[in-house]
Amino acid sequence: MTLGGRIMNKTDVERTLFDESDGFELVRFVTEELNAADIDGAVNGVAEHLRKRFSVSCVSVREITAAPLSLRFVYESLGDETKTHRLGEVIRYDGDNWARMLDVFAKGCYIYDREKGDTPIEALGPMPDPPACVLQLPMFCGEDFLGTIDLVDFEKPHKWNATELDALRICASAVCQRLYRTNATFMSKTSRNEFDPITGLISFDSFNKKLGERLGDMLKTAPVAIVYTDIRRFKYINETYGYKKGDDLLRIAAAAMSAGREFTPDFMICRVHSDNFVSASPLPEELMPSFPDYIKKTNEELCGLLQKEFPDVRVKINTGICYVYDPDTKPATAIANANLARKMTRSEQADRPVIFTEEMMEDIKYQEYLTAELPNAIANHDLKVYYQPKINCADDSLYGAEALVRWQREDGTFIYPDKFIPLFEQNGNIVDVDFYVYREVFKYLRRRLDEGLPVVPISMNVSRIHFKSDRIVPYIKELLSEYRVPPELLEFELTENIYIKNFEKANAFVKTLQDMKIKVSMDDFGSGYSSLNVMSVLPIDTLKIDRVFLKSDELNDVDKTVLECVISMAKRLGMNVICEGVETRSQSQFLKRANCDMIQGYYYGRPMNEESFDLFTKEKLG
Ligand code: C2E
Ligand code: CA
Ligand code: CA
């Protein structure tokens, strides 16, 4: 939809008989009319009076809706009954036109005159009867743009003079005041500052504010559902298709998420930032069981829409829901909880919303506790490095070990890495954990060397987060010179997805280590994208096959074939192969027959503390 017409200026204005006293008279009449208790009767009365006073064909009042960029016809006075009624009709604008419209309204009102050769008017949406002239008056309450009053004539042009326009603007604002005081749908009012210029939704700030004001009332009807939605891969759309297209996506999303809900009382939606949206609406308890399915369906439909628009990017939509029952809940908390639930969506079930639970809150508190405690744990050496042996297939001798971290609580029990590594990868603290582990490993090797005991190579895990900064190589160099450990005793394990997602940096890192005579392995091979392609271009020393292939004690034929294949390919590429997660004798025997070089797993040894690993080494190597 494009906006025709021009902004009013003095040259449009021709003197007619309407003078200051007429203006005063009009304003007085309208304000008095609006004092009537029956608001609908009052506004209809004003519309009719304006239509007759200015002898135009039609006067209508449109107000903003809960949906973005939309105006709905809410009152109408039509002189000629053969013309089309538009009451209830909703006109949705595209973002550019909406912005232009507000621009025009900020400066004054909007005038269209067919005889002047203006471009066809579409500001009122596709018109059933093409108008000869239109005057559109904005309704502002303070800064808030709440709608328009439209004077339309189908037959003849109308020369508006400045006094008329001034009087009409005052009337529009009086109507607006009256509606705003009493009409609940106007609660979703918006303004130039309070609205998001891209989607036309209210801004996050006003959403927060309004939710705070309205929550108590909303809860009188039903619990309130806060729905937080994140469109994943939006970044790629911006990068692939450009920002203008990215903005289109946001508008499509905003429209889809509010579609059909314009008429739901108290429905509110806004864009939190970039591609994150949040909505709130009362949800009768009997609808709760089906609500996640409803959201899932909406998400799938939106995904389908976006897929058509942006075929090169596989968009995913994650949604979290938080149900609010307590009127004292702070909007910010409810939104944060819904967002938290959203983060719990599993990628396999991207479209399915996750509902916030108190247990999630417990998890979060625990995570906060771990994050706060980490510096102490490092300083007090509560983080312990455990060593899990790697065994040579050829003769069951000890090849080396992998360093695995554990967090020992005060009571002696342990927190395992799956409880804190993902968390610390998220907040970046993993760098401190890894550096601590590396130092412990260097210390351990130095001690054994100093004591003249046999030593075996130790491998350490490298988190992908290290590639966000360049600290890791200097740190390893620092440890090498501090502890004077032969580099041949060191190995670093990088997971396969590090190679894929940070190819350039990972590649440079691998080369640097190898120049220093330190070995590198690809960890968790087969757990994710498994690309033998990557394997063939990277100079990796060892391939670590993930334990996904060892699901059962007795291997099935498919897994056997895959394992044999991977092992023989890796060997042809000149790599060593180690299989992890080996728990049974039959698994180990199969791997030996398949020409695997090394085995790591409970069958040969669990991760053990330094003291136990000393003993283990002694048994194996003397
Ligand atoms: P990972 O690197 O794949 O380490 C192997 C994991 O498999 C270890 O779990 C180990 O205890 C477990 N495992 C070994 N043999 C068997 C077996 O026979 N059966 C089964 N079911 N499991 C076995 P852990 O120690 O809980 O570590 C989990 C993950 O945490 C590690 O997976 C690694 O990705 C990460 N991690 C551990 N320590 C560190 C560290 O110091 N730094 C970093 N960045 N990540 C670490
Ligand atoms: Ca590992
Ligand atoms: Ca692994």
Side-chain angles (χ1 to χ4, degrees):
M1 204 179 294
T2 56
L3 279 172
R6 287 156 293 117
I7 304 165
M8 168 203 76
N9 60 42
K10 288 277 180 234
T11 56
D12 286 329
V13 173
E14 235 174 58
R15 275 260 147 219
T16 62
L17 291 173
F18 195 96
D19 62 17
E20 263 77 19
S21 71
D22 293 323
F24 179 75
E25 186 57 31
L26 177 71
V27 170
R28 198 187 52 79
F29 176 86
V30 165
T31 40
E32 253 170 37
E33 183 85 3
L34 288 170
N35 273 336
D38 165 22
I39 181 165
D40 292 341
V43 180
N44 275 326
V46 169
E48 193 180 338
H49 182 79
L50 293 181
R51 180 174 61 75
K52 289 184 174 152
R53 179 70 182 77
F54 294 99
S55 47
V56 289
S57 326
C58 175
V59 172
S60 45
V61 179
R62 299 184 303 160
E63 66 175 41
I64 55 162
T65 72
L69 309 177
S70 303
L71 291 173
R72 182 173 52 223
F73 286 83
V74 282
Y75 297 98
E76 186 182 59
S77 167
L78 196 60
D80 179 353
E81 282 301 319
T82 63
K83 298 286 184 192
T84 320
H85 272 286
R86 308 191 71 187
L87 220 49
E89 194 181 320
V90 176
I91 313 282
R92 190 189 291 279
Y93 295 83
D94 77 22
D96 285 350
N97 276 324
W98 183 265
R100 280 175 53 197
M101 182 164 76
L102 283 193
D103 239 32
V104 169
F105 288 155
K107 293 177 200 138
C109 45
Y110 172 84
I111 296 171
Y112 164 77
D113 184 342
R114 189 166 59 194
E115 286 191 348
K116 284 245 166 84
D118 286 346
T119 43
I121 171 117
E122 288 179 43
L124 288 171
M127 297 280 278
D129 308 290
C133 75
V134 175
L135 167 65
Q136 227 164 39
L137 306 152
M139 292 199 291
F140 278 109
C141 266
E143 282 283 276
D144 297 334
F145 170 68
L146 298 180
T148 67
I149 295 182
D150 313 308
L151 284 74
V152 176
D153 204 291
F154 300 116
E155 266 78 47
K156 55 183 193 311
H158 196 109
K159 308 283 177 229
W160 304 100
N161 78 28
T163 321
E164 280 171 330
L165 291 173
D166 283 345
L168 281 166
R169 296 243 300 274
I170 297 169
C171 293
S173 117
V175 171
C176 179
Q177 297 289 346
R178 177 69 171 96
L179 288 170
Y180 174 57
R181 262 187 282 130
T182 43
N183 188 341
T185 61
F186 268 91
M187 289 315 288
S188 57
K189 74 198 169 69
T190 183
S191 84
R192 323 192 80 243
N193 306 331
E194 284 182 16
F195 100 133
D196 167 19
I198 293 177
T199 60
L201 298 173
I202 55 170
S203 69
F204 183 47
D205 278 351
S206 31
F207 179 92
N208 254 317
K209 203 170 116 228
K210 278 163 196 159
L211 183 58
E213 290 163 4
R214 300 276 307 128
L215 190 63
D217 278 350
M218 285 159 104
L219 283 169
K220 284 179 193 149
T221 358
V224 171
I226 309 287
V227 178
Y228 194 108
T229 298
D230 175 29
I231 300 166
R232 310 264 309 279
R233 319 239 168 100
F234 173 63
K235 200 171 126 249
Y236 299 106
I237 295 214
N238 268 338
E239 282 164 8
T240 319
Y241 295 89
Y243 286 89
K244 228 174 141 36
K245 282 296 224 174
D247 288 354
D248 286 347
L249 172 141
L250 295 175
R251 280 190 282 270
I252 294 172
M257 282 187 269
S258 40
R261 320 237 347 226
E262 291 95 330
F263 304 107
T264 312
D266 287 332
F267 175 73
M268 296 199 263
I269 180 164
C270 79
R271 189 162 69 105
V272 180
H273 62 83
S274 66
D275 49 3
N276 284 214
F277 292 84
V278 67
S279 71
S281 63
L283 183 73
E285 248 161 307
E286 63 272 18
L287 293 181
M288 269 187 199
S290 58
F291 193 59
D293 284 330
Y294 168 79
I295 297 288
K296 181 170 184 279
K297 208 174 122 250
T298 318
N299 285 352
E300 280 167 356
E301 282 167 7
L302 177 55
C303 258
L305 259 177
L306 296 176
Q307 213 57 72
K308 257 192 245 148
E309 289 283 312
F310 310 100
D312 297 343
V313 180
R314 278 210 65 74
V315 179
K316 282 194 176 175
I317 299 179
N318 289 169
T319 299
I321 301 173
C322 172
Y323 295 125
V324 179
Y325 302 86
D326 177 359
D328 292 333
T329 312
K330 290 209 171 59
T333 310
I335 295 165
N337 289 350
N339 187 21
L340 193 83
R342 192 264 310 168
K343 288 186 192 155
M344 307 282 171
T345 4
R346 299 243 294 281
S347 56
E348 326 79 85
Q349 292 205 322
D351 297 333
R352 187 151 194 91
V354 175
I355 295 167
F356 172 80
T357 61
E358 284 304 319
E359 291 83 77
M360 279 179 197
M361 204 62 229
E362 292 302 308
D363 280 359
I364 293 302
K365 281 191 189 137
Y366 186 58
Q367 293 187 347
E368 278 168 2
Y369 163 79
L370 290 178
T371 307
E373 278 301 305
L374 180 67
N376 290 335
I378 288 178
N380 302 338
H381 287 268
D382 294 335
L383 296 187
K384 306 285 177 197
V385 176
Y386 271 51
Y387 296 89
Q388 184 176 34
K390 295 175 186 171
I391 302 295
N392 286 310
C393 287
D395 53 4
D396 276 2
S397 62
L398 178 64
Y399 165 80
E402 174 177 5
L404 294 160
V405 68
R406 274 101 184 81
W407 182 330
Q408 189 163 26
R409 294 193 192 89
E410 252 173 46
D411 63 4
T413 59
F414 285 100
I415 312 172
Y416 287 89
D418 56 317
K419 287 275 181 290
F420 58 86
I421 300 275
L423 164 69
F424 293 150
E425 285 193 328
Q426 259 175 39
N427 63 23
N429 287 337
I430 188 68
V431 174
D432 297 334
V433 174
D434 277 353
F435 284 3
Y436 172 87
V437 171
Y438 302 168
R439 181 174 286 278
E440 292 299 297
V441 169
F442 275 76
K443 266 195 229 164
Y444 158 80
L445 288 168
R446 185 70 259 158
R447 174 179 65 75
R448 300 266 316 176
L449 290 166
D450 285 347
E451 291 172 5
L453 295 167
V455 280
V456 289
I458 306 292
S459 63
M460 290 156 273
N461 289 288
V462 178
S463 162
R464 63 192 158 81
I465 307 305
H466 290 290
F467 296 103
K468 291 199 171 156
S469 72
D470 297 316
R471 288 170 60 199
I472 187 162
V473 171
Y475 191 74
I476 295 169
K477 286 186 174 156
E478 193 183 311
L479 291 174
L480 271 170
S481 73
E482 191 175 339
Y483 293 95
R484 291 162 293 105
V485 168
E488 296 79 16
L489 289 176
L490 304 169
E491 182 169 330
F492 287 91
E493 299 190 2
L494 279 75
T495 55
E496 58 171 9
N497 59 30
I498 294 187
Y499 289 102
I500 293 164
K501 292 198 178 143
N502 305 275
F503 189 83
E504 298 299 328
K505 286 208 162 189
N507 203 10
F509 179 67
V510 170
K511 294 225 165 83
T512 311
L513 290 186
Q514 286 178 333
D515 287 346
M516 292 156 70
K517 298 201 168 53
I518 297 174
K519 290 204 180 56
V520 178
S521 53
M522 184 190 275
D523 201 0
D524 298 346
F525 185 82
S527 65
Y529 303 90
S530 311
S531 159
L532 288 163
N533 262 349
V534 178
M535 205 164 104
S536 60
V537 293
L538 277 170
I540 299 152
D541 303 289
T542 307
L543 189 75
K544 282 194 97 171
I545 300 180
D546 194 74
R547 60 170 178 277
V548 287
F549 296 108
L550 308 178
K551 293 178 284 271
S552 48
D553 295 354
E554 295 288 334
L555 297 171
N556 68 35
D557 288 345
V558 176
D559 286 341
K560 277 185 183 168
T561 314
V562 174
L563 279 170
E564 277 169 343
C565 234
V566 171
I567 294 169
S568 79
M569 282 210 43
K571 303 215 65 160
R572 247 182 287 146
L573 291 166
M575 299 179 205
N576 280 317
V577 182
I578 179 166
C579 197
E580 46 178 350
V582 176
E583 294 182 355
T584 67
R585 183 181 150 82
S586 91
Q587 289 172 345
S588 119
Q589 278 177 336
F590 166 78
L591 290 165
K592 285 177 181 175
R593 276 200 307 277
N595 245 336
C596 188
D597 297 300
M598 290 165 277
I599 286 176
Q600 180 183 342
Y602 295 169
Y603 180 64
Y604 287 101
R606 292 193 172 246
M608 51 192 97
N609 65 22
E610 201 171 305
E611 207 182 333
S612 308
F613 188 59
D614 274 346
L615 290 172
F616 189 92
T617 314
K618 191 158 186 233
E619 260 172 45
K620 287 280 184 185
L621 301 179

